[in-house]
Coordinates of all heavy atoms in Angstrom, one line a residue:
F1 N -9.0 27.7 -5.5 CA -9.3 27.0 -6.8 C -10.8 26.5 -6.8 O -11.2 25.9 -5.9 CB -8.4 25.8 -7.1 CG -6.9 26.2 -7.2 CD1 -6.1 26.3 -6.0 CD2 -6.3 26.7 -8.3 CE1 -4.8 26.6 -6.2 CE2 -5.0 27.0 -8.5 CZ -4.3 27.0 -7.2
L2 N -11.5 27.0 -7.8 CA -12.8 26.7 -8.0 C -13.2 26.2 -9.3 O -12.6 26.4 -10.3 CB -13.7 27.9 -7.6 CG -13.5 28.8 -6.5 CD1 -12.6 29.9 -6.8 CD2 -14.9 29.2 -5.8
V3 N -14.4 25.3 -9.3 CA -15.0 25.1 -10.5 C -16.1 26.0 -10.6 O -17.1 25.9 -9.7 CB -15.5 23.6 -10.5 CG1 -16.2 23.3 -11.8 CG2 -14.3 22.6 -10.5
D4 N -16.2 26.9 -11.6 CA -17.1 27.9 -11.8 C -18.5 27.4 -12.3 O -18.6 26.2 -12.7 CB -16.6 29.2 -12.5 CG -16.4 28.8 -13.9 OD1 -16.8 27.8 -14.5 OD2 -15.9 29.8 -14.7
Q5 N -19.5 28.2 -12.6 CA -20.8 27.9 -13.1 C -20.7 27.3 -14.5 O -21.7 26.7 -15.0 CB -21.7 29.1 -13.0 CG -21.3 30.3 -14.0 CD -20.3 31.2 -13.5 OE1 -19.7 30.9 -12.5 NE2 -20.2 32.4 -14.0
N6 N -19.5 27.6 -15.2 CA -19.5 27.0 -16.6 C -18.6 25.7 -16.6 O -18.2 25.3 -17.7 CB -18.8 28.1 -17.5 CG -19.5 29.3 -17.5 OD1 -20.8 29.3 -17.8 ND2 -18.9 30.5 -17.4
G7 N -18.2 25.2 -15.4 CA -17.4 24.0 -15.4 C -15.9 24.3 -15.5 O -15.1 23.4 -15.7
N8 N -15.4 25.6 -15.5 CA -14.0 25.9 -15.8 C -13.4 26.0 -14.3 O -13.9 26.4 -13.4 CB -13.8 27.2 -16.4 CG -14.5 27.2 -17.8 OD1 -14.3 26.2 -18.5 ND2 -15.2 28.3 -18.2
I9 N -12.1 25.6 -14.3 CA -11.3 25.7 -13.0 C -10.6 27.2 -13.1 O -10.0 27.5 -13.8 CB -10.2 24.7 -13.0 CG1 -10.8 23.3 -13.0 CG2 -9.4 24.9 -11.8 CD1 -9.8 22.1 -13.0
I10 N -10.9 27.9 -12.0 CA -10.5 29.2 -11.8 C -9.7 29.4 -10.6 O -10.0 28.9 -9.5 CB -11.8 30.2 -11.7 CG1 -12.8 30.0 -12.9 CG2 -11.3 31.7 -11.6 CD1 -12.0 30.4 -14.3
S11 N -8.7 30.2 -10.7 CA -7.9 30.5 -9.5 C -8.0 31.9 -9.1 O -8.1 32.9 -9.9 CB -6.3 30.4 -9.9 OG -5.5 30.8 -8.9
L12 N -8.2 32.2 -7.8 CA -8.5 33.5 -7.2 C -7.6 33.9 -6.1 O -7.2 33.0 -5.3 CB -10.0 33.8 -6.8 CG -11.0 33.6 -7.9 CD1 -12.3 33.5 -7.2 CD2 -11.0 34.6 -8.9
R13 N -7.1 35.1 -6.1 CA -6.5 35.7 -4.9 C -7.4 36.5 -4.1 O -8.4 37.0 -4.6 CB -5.2 36.5 -5.3 CG -4.1 35.7 -6.0 CD -3.0 36.6 -6.5 NE -2.0 35.9 -7.1 CZ -0.8 35.4 -6.5 NH1 -0.8 35.6 -5.1 NH2 0.1 34.8 -7.2
K14 N -6.9 36.8 -2.8 CA -7.8 37.8 -1.9 C -7.9 39.1 -2.7 O -6.9 39.6 -3.1 CB -7.0 37.9 -0.5 CG -7.8 38.8 0.3 CD -7.1 38.9 1.8 CE -7.8 39.9 2.7 NZ -7.1 39.9 4.0
G15 N -9.1 39.6 -2.8 CA -9.3 40.9 -3.4 C -9.8 40.8 -4.8 O -10.3 41.8 -5.3
D16 N -9.7 39.6 -5.4 CA -10.1 39.4 -6.8 C -11.6 39.6 -6.9 O -12.4 39.1 -6.0 CB -9.6 38.0 -7.3 CG -8.2 38.1 -7.7 OD1 -7.5 39.2 -7.7 OD2 -7.7 36.9 -8.0
K17 N -12.1 40.0 -8.0 CA -13.5 40.3 -8.2 C -14.2 38.9 -8.5 O -13.7 38.2 -9.3 CB -13.7 41.3 -9.3 CG -13.4 42.6 -9.1 CD -13.8 43.6 -10.2 CE -13.5 45.0 -9.9 NZ -13.8 45.9 -11.0
V18 N -15.4 38.8 -8.1 CA -16.3 37.7 -8.5 C -17.7 38.5 -8.8 O -17.8 39.7 -8.6 CB -16.6 36.6 -7.4 CG1 -15.2 36.0 -7.1 CG2 -17.1 37.3 -6.1
Y19 N -18.6 37.6 -9.4 CA -20.0 38.3 -9.7 C -20.6 38.8 -8.3 O -20.7 38.1 -7.3 CB -20.8 37.3 -10.3 CG -22.2 37.7 -10.6 CD1 -22.4 38.9 -11.2 CD2 -23.3 36.8 -10.2 CE1 -23.8 39.2 -11.6 CE2 -24.6 37.2 -10.5 CZ -24.9 38.4 -11.1 OH -26.2 38.8 -11.4
L20 N -20.9 40.0 -8.3 CA -21.5 40.9 -7.3 C -20.5 41.2 -6.0 O -21.1 41.6 -5.1 CB -22.8 40.1 -6.7 CG -23.8 39.9 -7.8 CD1 -25.0 39.2 -7.2 CD2 -24.3 41.3 -8.4
G21 N -19.3 40.7 -6.2 CA -18.4 41.0 -5.0 C -17.0 40.6 -5.2 O -16.4 40.7 -6.2
T22 N -16.3 40.2 -4.0 CA -14.9 40.0 -4.0 C -14.6 38.9 -3.1 O -15.3 38.5 -2.2 CB -14.0 41.2 -3.6 OG1 -14.4 41.6 -2.3 CG2 -14.2 42.4 -4.7
L23 N -13.4 38.2 -3.4 CA -12.9 37.3 -2.4 C -12.3 38.0 -1.2 O -11.4 38.7 -1.3 CB -11.8 36.4 -3.0 CG -11.0 35.4 -2.1 CD1 -12.0 34.5 -1.4 CD2 -10.0 34.6 -3.0
S24 N -12.9 37.9 0.0 CA -12.5 38.8 1.1 C -11.4 38.1 2.1 O -10.7 38.8 2.6 CB -13.6 39.2 1.9 OG -14.4 37.9 2.4
S25 N -11.5 36.8 2.2 CA -10.5 36.2 3.1 C -10.3 34.6 2.7 O -11.2 34.0 2.1 CB -10.9 36.2 4.5 OG -12.1 35.5 4.7
I26 N -9.1 34.1 3.0 CA -8.7 32.7 2.8 C -8.4 32.0 4.1 O -7.4 32.5 4.8 CB -7.6 32.6 1.8 CG1 -8.1 33.1 0.4 CG2 -7.2 31.1 1.5 CD1 -6.9 33.2 -0.6
D27 N -9.0 31.0 4.5 CA -8.7 30.3 5.9 C -8.0 29.0 5.4 O -8.9 27.9 5.2 CB -10.0 30.2 6.5 CG -9.6 29.6 8.0 OD1 -8.6 29.1 8.2 OD2 -10.6 29.7 8.8
F28 N -6.7 28.9 5.3 CA -6.1 27.7 4.9 C -6.2 26.5 5.8 O -6.5 25.4 5.5 CB -4.6 27.9 4.6 CG -3.8 26.8 4.2 CD1 -3.9 26.2 3.0 CD2 -2.8 26.2 5.2 CE1 -3.2 25.1 2.6 CE2 -2.2 25.1 4.7 CZ -2.3 24.6 3.5
S29 N -6.2 27.0 7.2 CA -6.3 25.9 8.2 C -7.7 25.2 8.1 O -7.6 24.0 8.4 CB -6.1 26.6 9.5 OG -4.7 27.1 9.6
N30 N -8.7 25.9 8.0 CA -10.0 25.3 8.0 C -10.6 25.0 6.6 O -11.7 24.6 6.4 CB -11.0 26.2 8.7 CG -10.6 26.3 10.2 OD1 -10.5 25.3 10.9 ND2 -10.6 27.6 10.6
E31 N -9.7 25.2 5.6 CA -10.0 25.0 4.2 C -11.4 25.7 3.7 O -12.2 25.1 3.2 CB -10.1 23.5 3.9 CG -8.8 22.8 4.2 CD -8.9 21.3 3.9 OE1 -10.0 20.7 4.0 OE2 -7.8 20.8 3.5

């Protein structure tokens, strides 16, 4: 869960697109 450049709360899964790329990995243990 992120607060994006517009101040909106956004939820992303692994592989979802972002500007210029994608979310490649989630490390829950190290947050």
Side-chain angles (χ1 to χ4, degrees):
F1 299 89
L2 305 100
V3 176
D4 70 5
Q5 67 273 17
N6 300 314
N8 300 318
I9 297 177
I10 304 295
S11 170
L12 298 174
R13 293 177 179 268
K14 182 178 178 181
D16 282 352
K17 289 184 178 181
V18 297
Y19 176 50
L20 302 178
T22 60
L23 171 58
S24 59
S25 65
I26 298 174
D27 187 344
F28 177 71
S29 300
N30 294 308
E31 298 183 331

